[in-house]
Amino acid sequence: MKRYKLWVLTVWLVLGSLSALASCTNSDNWVHDQEGTDVPRTGKIAQIVERGKLLVGTTGDYRPLSYREAEGNYWGFGIEMAEKIAQRIGVDITFVPTSWPTLSADVMADPQTFDFAIGGITITDTRKTAMLMSDGYLCNGKTILCRAGDAQRFQSLADIDKPEVCVMVNPGGLNEKFAREQLSHATIVVYPQNEEIPSQVAEGHADVMITEITEAPWYVQNDTRLAAPLLSTPFTHGEIGVLMRKGQDDLLALVNAVIAQMKADGSLRKLHEKYGLVYGYDRPEEHSK
């Protein structure tokens, strides 16, 4: 019976999202091109279709959600989500570099540098007030990385919040904000390259990294020097979504429809499994935004 109720709820969510999309892209707003394909007449999606390319902002420093290799190739959970959205629109995709300190300014830049941002972006009331945020597609929460030998040493925030403990964070994002709000005694060091902080911890240049449950497992699996002792008991609970500027309601509706469809058909769960992430949408009430 519980599975039946969950199935009914899932179908309802999908239909609701598709209905919202339809309201933004009704028949009066669509025309046929020379090949008979429906293309939007107005709105943000029309601009993307006319351009023939979806421009996606991403930091490229957040394994396994968004990472840029030295040769310029991007990979990760968020990268594949963006590719699904581009496929739904029917256009190619180009990734545009952004950074955590400049993320909001880049989203709202004029002229616009990309259509939306993706890759480890937590849904917050502040962001939703200033910009548009999609429904969540990945549950997250604040946790820590430390050296494997210190796993028993750090079992709570109180264990971390001591003057002799060096906590390293990336600049300008919610990790730094969390550290400064919650750790009044620990030594906080801001390090510019997020993807290098785990190795800084492993090599002894810092004791703890403030990170997310979406990021920590990848580093633990790929570096035996590291541990995430509080992975199952994160300090916060939230969701990750797609961030875009206001006035793009048609694009927001399409993104939400893609997310809803992926939840309904099981492809979102499979993507979680591919990257070793915990799927948190069987019991959505446990993951409030």
Side-chain angles (χ1 to χ4, degrees):
M1 180 62 70
K2 290 183 178 180
R3 289 186 177 180
Y4 174 77
K5 290 181 178 179
L6 178 60
W7 179 84
V8 171
L9 176 60
T10 301
V11 171
W12 181 84
L13 289 171
V14 173
L15 292 177
S17 296
L18 293 176
S19 176
L21 175 60
S23 67
C24 294
T25 56
N26 59 46
S27 59
D28 292 336
N29 292 330
W30 291 73
V31 295
H32 296 288
D33 65 12
Q34 293 180 351
E35 298 178 354
T37 303
D38 286 335
V39 294
R41 187 193 303 273
T42 60
K44 182 60 184 178
I45 297 176
Q47 296 176 14
I48 296 170
V49 172
E50 176 68 22
R51 184 197 303 141
K53 184 182 298 183
L54 178 67
L55 303 179
V56 177
T58 193
T59 61
D61 65 351
Y62 198 150
R63 299 183 182 100
L65 304 189
S66 165
Y67 191 72
R68 184 181 186 272
E69 298 288 358
E71 64 274 17
N73 296 327
Y74 286 87
W75 62 268
F77 186 99
I79 300 303
E80 293 201 38
M81 291 293 297
E83 290 170 347
K84 292 286 187 183
I85 295 166
Q87 290 171 11
R88 176 67 67 88
I89 300 173
V91 295
D92 294 330
I93 189 168
T94 294
F95 294 101
V96 180
T98 184
S99 68
W100 296 111
T102 65
L103 179 61
S104 294
D106 290 346
V107 168
M108 295 186 287
D110 192 15
Q112 197 169 0
T113 55
F114 48 75
D115 302 310
F116 63 70
I118 200 168
I121 304 171
T122 301
I123 298 171
T124 67
D125 290 338
T126 299
R127 284 172 173 157
K128 290 171 67 176
T129 298
M131 295 164 280
L132 297 177
M133 287 220 73
S134 73
D135 296 335
Y137 60 80
L138 179 64
C139 294
N140 73 339
K142 299 297 178 193
T143 191
I144 65 167
L145 279 175
C146 65
R147 288 180 292 280
D150 287 338
Q152 293 303 314
R153 176 186 175 191
F154 300 119
Q155 292 293 310
S156 67
L157 273 177
D159 294 338
I160 301 166
D161 194 20
K162 297 179 179 180
E164 65 270 21
V165 177
C166 178
V167 177
M168 192 170 282
V169 295
N170 59 304
L174 294 182
N175 291 337
E176 181 184 2
K177 183 174 185 292
F178 175 85
R180 297 197 183 282
E181 289 177 348
Q182 300 296 326
L183 304 173
S184 58
H185 299 97
T187 301
I188 298 174
V189 175
V190 178
Y191 191 86
Q193 302 299 325
N194 183 70
E195 71 274 18
E196 296 178 6
I197 297 179
S199 63
Q200 291 289 309
V201 172
E203 293 167 7
H205 303 299
D207 300 305
V208 168
M209 175 187 184
I210 300 297
T211 182
E212 304 277 357
I213 61 173
T214 50
E215 183 178 36
W218 192 93
Y219 286 103
V220 172
Q221 293 166 10
N222 288 275
D223 191 336
T224 57
R225 299 174 297 173
L226 295 170
L230 304 177
L231 191 62
S232 61
T233 55
F235 305 126
T236 63
H237 296 274
E239 290 183 275
I240 285 172
V242 177
L243 181 66
M244 66 187 75
R245 68 195 302 163
K246 287 187 175 181
Q248 300 185 166
D249 297 272
D250 59 333
L251 180 59
L252 178 66
L254 183 142
V255 169
N256 283 339
V258 170
I259 293 171
Q261 182 62 46
M262 291 181 69
K263 288 176 180 177
D265 64 19
S267 58
L268 188 64
R269 178 188 289 275
K270 290 180 180 178
L271 196 58
H272 279 71
E273 293 171 351
K274 176 179 178 179
Y275 288 98
L277 300 170
V278 177
Y279 188 75
Y281 293 101
D282 288 331
R283 298 182 298 277
E285 69 277 4
E286 294 184 4
H287 302 280
S288 62
K289 299 178 184 178

